[in-house]
Amino acid sequence: MVTVGEALLWRVDSLEILARALRSGARALTDSADSSQGALNALSEDDFAGDNRSAAEASVTHSSTRLRRSSVALELSLIHISEPTRPLYIS
């Protein structure tokens, strides 16, 4: 974990690089959730049905939800990264 004091010493360009990496990670998590949901939906009821399908749907839904929550957490962390770069006083 980085303290506020340490973050204040970071250069703005370093923070921008970190922010880009976090955004990229958030997009990748969302894309992964969409892909897993899409892969399951692509299977026809004839090929994959019954209890196995129900269990797979529940698992994919749970995993997709966790991936999306992680994506939101990364996006929210961008707010905390930008805090040290804003002016402390506005005259």
Side-chain angles (χ1 to χ4, degrees):
M1 177 169 263
V2 176
T3 66
V4 173
E6 291 170 332
L8 288 172
L9 297 175
W10 290 7
R11 296 185 326 206
V12 172
D13 56 337
S14 297
L15 293 173
E16 289 172 354
I17 291 168
L18 181 58
R20 278 195 301 273
L22 288 172
R23 277 191 204 98
S24 176
R27 276 192 302 273
L29 289 171
T30 300
D31 290 348
S32 180
D34 292 343
S35 293
S36 60
Q37 202 71 50
L40 180 62
N41 293 339
L43 294 172
S44 72
E45 290 284 337
D46 294 334
D47 294 334
F48 189 53
D51 291 341
N52 288 336
R53 184 176 188 95
S54 297
E57 286 173 344
S59 178
V60 166
T61 299
H62 177 74
S63 296
S64 295
T65 300
R66 290 187 63 167
L67 288 169
R68 285 190 175 87
R69 284 182 183 156
S70 296
S71 173
V72 169
L74 285 177
E75 289 287 341
L76 288 175
S77 66
L78 291 172
I79 295 168
H80 297 288
I81 288 171
S82 65
E83 283 296 312
T85 62
R86 73 178 181 158
L88 296 176
Y89 301 102
I90 300 174
S91 44

